[in-house]
């Protein structure tokens, strides 16, 4: 519930920000089309995002239409200012209005109806008394904001926020007192009626449909790309590559394995013999690709005759990982590992004595595959030696794709894992191998960002700063060092937005169709790759579509006789169908080739469709408690990092790596986001508009999705924050100085947090006292 | 001269009034369960004062000077009233602690009363500098001799009269400081509102510990440093030395202010040396040292010789303590303002809070206690204090940008920064919830009041909001401490 409250609050904030940023003429502009759009934004979208909606909430929404009707009729027909649409608009974005609907209570709605009715009556009264209604607007605004706060605390948050709760009540009191004081003191009296101020300036139909949009292409002359830029790109890429590849992962893990299966007694049991009096404290099992096995573990001591159970039905959870089994027994002569459920591929077994030293069983030669790579066991296994977080799914499935084995991870389209498998094919099934392609993708984002930023701002300094900011964004470093799909899809989505920007510029400059087609082809290719890697690519594709049509519409609006351009439009349309429908569909289907190898009974289409059904069902129902799960509004403020790996080392230090954003960029990016709306309205900044649409397309769908989600799902949005920040800073008086200062601080923070992004061993105190900035940041357990 | 004498007479009458009122209440069996008669009396005094003030305002006869007098009166009413209705064990620190064998402040006083000599150990609270306890023991002996009482509680309770006297004296010292810093009219009123109605002064004035007395000496040291700077006469040198001597005899943290005075001494010396008249000044410094150091450090030296206790000793706490905050990040503790915490509850919680600015704001209003008075009044007080804090920061930034200060004002804000840094350092080196309590920082209020009062906002609206916030703060403070 809190999610929709916050979403609605932000929608209202953005509306009023845009409202006050607009000039008087535009403020008055409120056509029915716009009103419908406002209704969609302020009512329908939040309602769809509301997870707990029931029939009564829909009924309340319906009842609200009566209120809207009364407001419209009263102000449009009865009230002399004839501003019904404006009144409805103001009501739609009144912060207290929608939370009352969410209560789904007819009585509440009736009270709102009465309140609106009284408001209308008081307006008539005020008019008769010659009072200026506008003087009461700030007080009414204050009261409605306070009511919103009160509802947020009591209904949505359901927390003991005593000060916020009482503060809202005080604000309501202050608002009422101010209104009474104004009435008593006559501060609201109109000295001289100004009819001109009340009247709404008529706007032409053309204006209302297609407001004039100015293209702001940088406040200074554009610079062309030159050798210097190539050099800078190379330097930045190299620096980031060093950071990414630095201790990326081990090149060696156990490879030989013993296949264990429950059907065969001989292969389902491993019995290890030890010398008498041997102490065994722990066993480490490096599991191969197959499902997590369930084992019984028992032992025999010198004094006893039968087997004594240590653990029953113990599930060894992670693949390509040094799983630990606690034994803690003195005088062990025999140790038995018995597979009870499912098959298991055990690649190495390590037995440790009380001092943590490796003990080789007397009969190790009987199981050569289990004891032939003992030297590969690290004293303390960290991310460097084994899988971390979702690598247990993606790296493993990539391995399965490579070897034509049955497929384990089917909740995302296959392309990303196919790409990961290239790294495994090149470097083997070890951490370096399975992380290589993701690292490469992360590194490729650097030159791409430089070029895109240069295209947007046309200034080298800004391209440099945006590259620095992206390099120090934190999350891209972490995601480049883990074999998951997010960095891959981010690279492709960035490519989509960058190439679409290229197209928009080409359109703006009226470049030949051939050039425009090249940009669209690139965009289509990136779209295909993104969608075939992860479905989040579809959200970005929706954004691309909006950007495409928006820019095309603006261009069409500029043409005096656009019918002459019919041939151009026909070609463009056909090309778009090819680039954005046929190519993505083909790439998507082709990515299912590994499926058809495993399931020869299915063709590509069948495999894709059945997998799509599975994915849809999985992602609709994946709701579970997770300590690092976070909601979309928490992403905006970097509230809960995701801890990917954490290991306490033997020397008292720790190795930890988390996925989160550079707090400086995340928090200033949020401010910049709101500033973009201001720039759009006040300055007509098309770059701001582009960035906002792109950002909205990758964030807004998450408001409608109610599965358990994590901060990395905001990565696509986060990538746009540096551009928004720079776009805001360039309007400042000493913008360039600010950009350089911001970049310097960002680099300093990157250095400060580097250990928590890469898993470098570091003291717990350093993490606790220096890095855990917010109470919700758990970087050390 | 006549004016000065009148001031002294008022001052002495006030001190006697505090003693007599305390004795009268004890005689009447107050505060009893809730001390409501005292609260009603406070309320009547405040309402009458408020009524007269509003009447004068409406009539257009209210001057700023008169308003400051009213504020002083209300501040005194609040301080004395709070002291009278609050027993020495209510909202107290380190007094009659959990185990009977742990010596708290009460043991110090009782030991002085019983044996007539300083404690023979430096256990727990017995390491503290002795002046407050000695004065407290003397006053307690006198009061209890008249009342004929002698229980441990009564003997200890009477010592809070000293804290209350110090708290009331602070008002006069603060007024003088603000005047010396060139504040008048609205500026003086705003500054005095902050000093008069900041509840930390009531709380410290009603408690049995040396914090309030130490705060008074800090303020006096600030005032006399300015006097000395203006006129480095023998009189001012000796007075300043005595203040420092007694101040350090009350609490060793007086040394914080000594650094500010030392800086002034240094600047004066450099100037004098340039003008070839450094000899007299050096002689004055020597006399200053000869007076203040023995007075201020004799007890510390005694403890060093007897127990090997270091000169800057602070009672150590364990890392395993529930109020340990060292496991929180520095940003969380120092460099951010925990808005979430501020919105949650108006009261500070030494067991779970770790953010210095939020804790100091809360503890300056409610100490480390929580009250059962509903939510509106504490929230009003907290919000108005928070807005005042924002105004103070804005005023400070404005001062820095426009360089609109005189020398005492510059000294005030430099001292404010220094004191705040010292408090932050103290919390850094002693990372425990209780280290953040505002009662260690009472004198900071004076320097903040100077900053707040000396700033003029160009926008009339900002000025109006500041006046409204000050009024809200005063109203919240009075309501809060008349209702609890």
């Amino acid at each position: 519930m809190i999610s929709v409250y916050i979403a609605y609050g932000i929608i209202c904030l953005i509306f009023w920000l845009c409202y006050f940023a607009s000039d008087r003429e535009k403020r008055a502009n409120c056509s029915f089309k716009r009103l419908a759009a406002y209704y969609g934004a302020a009512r329908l979208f939040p309602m769809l995002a509301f997870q707990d909606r029931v029939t009564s909430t829909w009924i309340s929404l319906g009842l609200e239409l009566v209120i809207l009707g009364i407001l419209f009729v009263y102000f449009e027909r009865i009230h002399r200012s004839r501003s019904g649409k404006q009144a409805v608009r103001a009501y739609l974005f009144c912060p207290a209005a929608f939370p009352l609907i969410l209560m789904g209570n007819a009585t509440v709605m009736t009270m709102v109806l009465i309140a609106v009715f009284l408001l209308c009556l008081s307006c008539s009264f005020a008019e008769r008394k010659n009072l200026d209604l506008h003087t009461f607007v700030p007080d009414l605004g204050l009261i409605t904001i306070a009511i919103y706060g009160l509802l947020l605390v009591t209904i949505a948050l359901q927390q003991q926020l005593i000060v916020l709760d009482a503060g809202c009540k005080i604000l309501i009191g202050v608002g009422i007192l101010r209104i009474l004081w104004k009435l008593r003191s006559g501060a609201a009296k109109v000295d001289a009626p100004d009819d001109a101020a009340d009247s709404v300036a008529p706007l032409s139909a053309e204006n209302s449909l297609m407001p004039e949009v100015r293209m702001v292409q940088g406040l200074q002359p554009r610079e062309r790309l030159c050798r210097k830029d190539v050099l800078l790109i190379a330097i930045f890429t190299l620096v980031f590559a060093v950071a990414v590849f630095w201790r990326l992962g081990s090149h060696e893990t156990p490879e030989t394995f013993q296949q264990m299966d429950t059907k065969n007694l001989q292969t389902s049991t491993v019995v290890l013999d030890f010398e008498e009096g041997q102490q065994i404290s722990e066993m480490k099992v490096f599991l191969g690709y197959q499902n997590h096995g369930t084992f019984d573990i028992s032992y025999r001591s010198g004094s006893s005759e039968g087997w004594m159970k240590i653990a029953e039905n113990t599930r060894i959870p992670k693949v390509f990982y040094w799983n630990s089994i606690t034994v803690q027994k003195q005088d062990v002569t025999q140790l038995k590992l018995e597979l009870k459920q499912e098959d298991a591929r055990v690649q190495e077994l390590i037995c440790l004595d009380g001092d943590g030293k490796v003990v080789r069983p007397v009969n190790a030669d009987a199981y050569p595959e289990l004891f032939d790579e003992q030297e590969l066991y690290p004293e303390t296994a960290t991310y460097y030696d084994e899988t971390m977080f979702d690598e247990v799914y993606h790296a493993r499935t990539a391995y399965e794709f490579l070897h034509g084995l049955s497929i384990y991870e089917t909740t995302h389209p296959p392309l990303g894992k196919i790409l990961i498998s290239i790294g495994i094919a090149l470097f083997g099934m070890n951490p370096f191998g399975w992380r290589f392609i993701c690292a490469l993708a992360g590194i490729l984002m650097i030159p791409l960002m430089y070029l895109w930023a240069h295209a947007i701002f046309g200034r080298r300094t800004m391209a440099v700063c945006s590259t620095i900011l992206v390099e120090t964004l934190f999350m891209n470093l972490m995601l480049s060092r883990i074999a998951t799909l997010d960095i891959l899809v981010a690279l492709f989505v960035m490519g989509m937005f960058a190439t679409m920007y290229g197209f928009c510029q080409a359109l703006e400059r009226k470049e030949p169709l051939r050039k425009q087609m090249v940009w669209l082809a690139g965009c289509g290719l990136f779209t295909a790759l993104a969608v075939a890697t992860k479905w989040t690519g579809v959200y970005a594709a929706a954004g691309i579509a909006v950007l495409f049509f928006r820019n095309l519409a603006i261009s069409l609006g500029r043409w005096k006789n656009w019918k002459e351009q019919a041939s151009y439009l026909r070609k463009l349309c056909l090309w778009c169908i090819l680039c954005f429908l046929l190519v993505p569909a083909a790439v998507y289907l082709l990515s299912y080739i590994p499926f058809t190898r495993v399931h020869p009974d299915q063709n590509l289409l069948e495999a894709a469709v059945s997998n799509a059904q599975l994915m849809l069902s999985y992602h609709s129902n994946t709701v579970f408690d997770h300590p690092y799960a976070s909601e979309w509004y928490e992403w905006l403020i970097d509230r809960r990092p995701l801890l990917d790996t954490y290991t306490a080392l033997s020397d008292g230090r720790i190795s930890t790596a988390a996925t989160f954003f550079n707090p400086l960029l995340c928090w200033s990016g949020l401010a910049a986001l709101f500033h973009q709306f201001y720039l759009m309205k006040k300055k007509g900044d098309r770059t701001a508009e582009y960035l906002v649409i792109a950002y909205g397309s990758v964030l807004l769908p998450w408001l409608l999705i109610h599965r358990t989600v994590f901060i990395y799902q905001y990565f696509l949005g986060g990538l746009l924050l540096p551009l928004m920040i720079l776009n805001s800073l360039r309007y400042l008086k000493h913008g360039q100085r600010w950009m350089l200062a911001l970049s310097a601080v960002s680099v300093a923070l990157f250095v400060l947090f580097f250990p928590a992004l890469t898993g470098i061993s570091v003291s717990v105190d350093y993490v606790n006292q220096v890095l855990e900035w917010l109470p919700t940041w758990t970087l050390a357990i | 001269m006549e004016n000065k004498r009148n001031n002294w007479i008022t001052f002495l009458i006030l001190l006697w009034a505090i003693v007599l009122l305390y004795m009268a209440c004890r005689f009447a069996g107050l505060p009893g369960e809730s001390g409501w008669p005292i609260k009603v009396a406070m309320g009547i005094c405040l309402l009458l004062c408020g009524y007269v003030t509003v009447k004068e305002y409406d009539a257009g006869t209210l001057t700023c000077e008169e308003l400051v007098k009213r504020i002083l009166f209300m501040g005194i009413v609040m301080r004395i009233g709070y002291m009278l209705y609050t027993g020495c064990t209510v909202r107290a620190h380190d007094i009659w602690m959990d185990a009977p064998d742990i010596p708290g402040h009460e043991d110090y006083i009782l030991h002085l009363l019983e044996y007539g000599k300083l404690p023979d150990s430096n256990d727990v609270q017995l390491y503290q500098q002795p002046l407050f306890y000695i004065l407290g023991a003397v006053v307690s002996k006198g009061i209890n001799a008249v009342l004929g009482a002698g229980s441990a509680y009564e003997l200890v309770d009477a010592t809070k009269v000293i804290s209350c006297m110090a708290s009331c004296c602070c008002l006069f010292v603060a007024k003088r400081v603000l005047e010396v810093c060139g504040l008048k009219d609205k500026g003086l009123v705003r500054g005095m509102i902050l000093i008069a109605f900041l509840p930390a002064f009531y709380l410290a004035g009603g408690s049995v510990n040396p914090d309030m007395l130490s705060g008074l000496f800090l303020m006096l040291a600030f005032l006399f440093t300015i006097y000395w700077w203006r006129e480095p006469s023998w009189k001012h040198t000796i007075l300043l030395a005595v203040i420092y001597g007694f101040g350090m005899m009350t609490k060793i943290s007086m040394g914080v202010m000594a650094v500010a005075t030392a800086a002034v001494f240094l600047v004066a010396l450099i100037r004098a040396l340039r003008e070839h008249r450094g000899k007299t000044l050096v002689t004055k410094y020597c006399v200053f040292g000869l007076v203040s150091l023995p007075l201020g450090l004799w007890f510390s030296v005694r403890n060093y010789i007897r127990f090997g206790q270091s000169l800057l000793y602070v009672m150590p706490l364990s890392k395993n303590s529930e109020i340990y905050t060292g496991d929180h990040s520095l940003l969380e503790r120092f460099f951010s303002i925990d808005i979430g915490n501020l919105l949650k509850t108006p009261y500070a919680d030494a067991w779970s809070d770790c953010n210095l600015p939020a804790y100091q704001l809360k503890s300056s209003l409610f100490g480390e206690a929580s009250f059962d008075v509903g939510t509106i009044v504490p929230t009003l007080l907290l919000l108005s204090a928070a807005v005042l804090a924002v105004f103070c920061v804005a005023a400070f930034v404005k001062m820095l940008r426009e360089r609109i200060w005189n020398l005492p004002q510059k000294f005030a804000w430099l001292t404010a920064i220094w004191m705040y840094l010292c408090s932050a350092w103290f919390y850094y080196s002693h990372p425990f919830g209780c280290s953040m309590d505002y009662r260690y920082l009472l004198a900071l209020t004076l320097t903040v009041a100077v900053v707040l009062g000396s700033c003029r906002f160009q926008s009339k609206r900002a000025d109006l909001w500041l006046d409204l916030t000050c009024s809200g703060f005063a109203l919240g403070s009075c309501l809060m401490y008349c209702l609890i």
Side-chain angles (χ1 to χ4, degrees), chain A residues 132-178:
Chain A
D132 181 7
L133 289 175
H134 291 97
T135 54
F136 298 108
V137 170
D139 307 313
L140 287 172
L142 189 72
I143 292 170
T144 51
I145 290 170
I147 293 173
Y148 169 78
L150 212 55
L151 292 169
L152 183 75
V153 176
T154 49
I155 296 172
L157 290 172
Q158 293 175 345
Q159 280 179 19
Q160 286 287 312
L161 293 173
I162 295 169
V163 175
L164 185 60
D165 183 272
C168 290
K169 288 173 185 162
I170 290 172
L171 283 182
I172 293 171
V174 169
I176 292 169
L177 283 175
R178 273 175 62 96

Side-chain angles (χ1 to χ4, degrees), chain B residues 5-272:
Chain B
R5 193 189 300 153
N6 284 345
N7 282 348
W8 274 106
I9 291 168
T10 318
F11 189 62
L12 286 173
I13 289 171
L14 174 70
L15 297 187
W16 269 115
I18 294 171
V19 174
L20 289 176
L21 280 168
Y22 176 77
M23 285 165 65
C25 284
R26 278 271 300 274
F27 189 72
L30 292 169
E33 277 294 298
S34 64
W36 67 266
I38 299 169
K39 290 173 193 169
V40 169
M42 283 167 75
I44 291 169
C45 287
L46 295 172
L47 280 174
L48 278 175
C49 186
Y51 177 75
V52 173
T53 310
V54 170
K55 273 282 166 198
E56 282 184 9
Y57 178 77
D58 277 351
T61 53
L62 185 69
T63 60
C64 283
E65 207 176 317
E66 273 301 310
L67 189 57
V68 169
K69 280 182 188 167
R70 302 281 154 75
I71 291 167
L72 275 175
F73 174 73
M74 289 191 192
I76 289 166
V77 168
M78 290 306 296
R79 281 159 173 75
I80 298 175
Y82 178 82
M83 183 271 289
L84 292 178
Y85 73 68
T86 310
C88 69
T89 50
V90 179
R91 293 183 278 280
H93 297 280
D94 307 320
I95 189 163
W96 274 295
M97 290 190 281
D98 300 337
D101 55 336
I102 302 175
H105 296 298
E106 80 288 354
D107 278 288
Y108 209 132
I109 294 158
L110 293 173
H111 189 278
L112 281 169
L113 284 168
E114 195 172 348
Y115 303 107
K117 61 170 189 162
L118 289 166
D120 298 319
S121 132
N122 70 336
D123 265 6
V124 194
Q125 293 301 329
L126 302 182
Y127 79 95
Q128 300 270 15
Q129 298 285 318
L131 184 65
F132 169 78
Y133 303 96
I134 293 170
L135 290 176
V138 170
V139 170
S140 172
K141 192 139 194 167
I143 289 172
N144 285 299
V146 174
L147 293 172
S151 76
Y153 178 84
E154 287 165 328
L155 287 170
V156 174
D157 189 68
T159 55
K160 69 189 184 190
V161 167
I162 293 291
S163 296
C164 186
M165 283 175 176
S167 186
C168 292
C169 292
C170 279
L171 282 171
F172 295 96
V173 177
K175 181 173 174 277
R176 191 74 201 111
V177 168
L178 297 184
E179 284 167 352
V180 166
C181 287
L183 301 193
K184 51 190 176 187
D185 302 335
K186 265 193 173 182
L188 184 62
V189 172
R190 286 169 186 164
M192 281 312 295
I193 283 178
L194 189 65
I195 304 281
F197 296 108
L198 188 77
F201 285 100
Y202 321 153
L203 293 163
S207 60
V208 177
N209 60 44
D211 295 323
M212 194 61 251
L213 190 61
S214 149
L216 173 66
F217 281 118
L218 279 163
M219 288 185 176
L220 281 170
F222 183 85
L223 177 64
F224 276 84
T225 303
I226 297 174
Y227 281 160
W228 186 90
W229 171 258
R230 285 182 172 179
E231 188 197 339
S233 63
W234 277 107
K235 181 187 153 193
H236 287 149
T237 310
I238 302 285
L239 274 173
L240 194 58
V242 171
I243 288 165
Y244 268 108
F246 282 133
M248 288 180 77
M249 212 200 291
T250 309
K251 214 166 179 184
I252 209 77
S253 60
M254 186 78 185
V256 171
M257 189 66 210
V259 174
T261 303
V264 172
F265 278 12
L266 188 67
V267 174
L269 182 65
I270 292 167
R271 273 191 182 183

Side-chain angles (χ1 to χ4, degrees), chain A residues 422-460:
Chain A
I422 296 171
I424 297 171
L426 288 172
F427 300 102
M429 189 56 193
N430 52 59
F432 186 85
W434 65 63
R435 288 171 193 157
F436 177 76
I437 290 292
C438 292
L440 204 60
I443 293 163
L444 283 175
M445 284 171 77
I446 301 304
L448 187 58
M449 174 50 88
Y450 188 98
L451 295 171
W452 188 21
H454 197 282
I456 291 175
F457 302 116
R459 306 286 304 168
R460 186 174 299 121

Side-chain angles (χ1 to χ4, degrees), chain A residues 445 448-449 452 456 488-504 518-548 579-580 584 690 694 697-698 716 719-720:
Chain A
M445 284 171 77
L448 187 58
M449 174 50 88
W452 188 21
I456 291 175
L488 299 168
V489 78
L491 173 70
F492 301 142
V493 167
M494 195 193 244
M496 284 162 73
F497 286 132
T499 45
M500 180 48 76
Y501 192 84
F503 167 76
C504 293
V518 172
W519 285 116
L520 289 177
C523 188
L525 186 66
F526 278 122
T527 308
L529 293 172
V531 174
T533 302
K534 209 171 178 182
W535 275 6
T536 45
V538 177
Y539 310 152
I544 290 295
V546 173
L547 287 167
F548 174 80
C579 294
F580 294 106
Y690 189 94
S697 72
V698 291
L716 300 177
L719 273 174
L720 298 166

Side-chain angles (χ1 to χ4, degrees), chain A residues 159-170 174 178 667 765 767-775, chain B residues 319 324 326-333 338 340 342-346 375-376 379-380 382-383 428 465:
Chain A
Q159 280 179 19
Q160 286 287 312
L161 293 173
I162 295 169
V163 175
L164 185 60
D165 183 272
C168 290
K169 288 173 185 162
I170 290 172
V174 169
R178 273 175 62 96
W667 298 338
D765 283 345
V767 175
N768 279 336
Q769 296 186 5
V770 181
L771 302 187
E772 285 185 345
W773 282 16
L774 299 182
Chain B
K319 264 191 169 188
Y324 180 69
D327 48 357
H328 292 271
S329 73
L330 298 176
L331 186 101
E332 221 183 314
R333 286 168 60 198
D338 192 348
L342 283 174
L343 293 178
K344 222 173 200 170
T345 167
T375 57
I376 299 289
T379 302
L380 174 69
L382 180 69
L383 291 181
Y428 175 75
W465 274 107

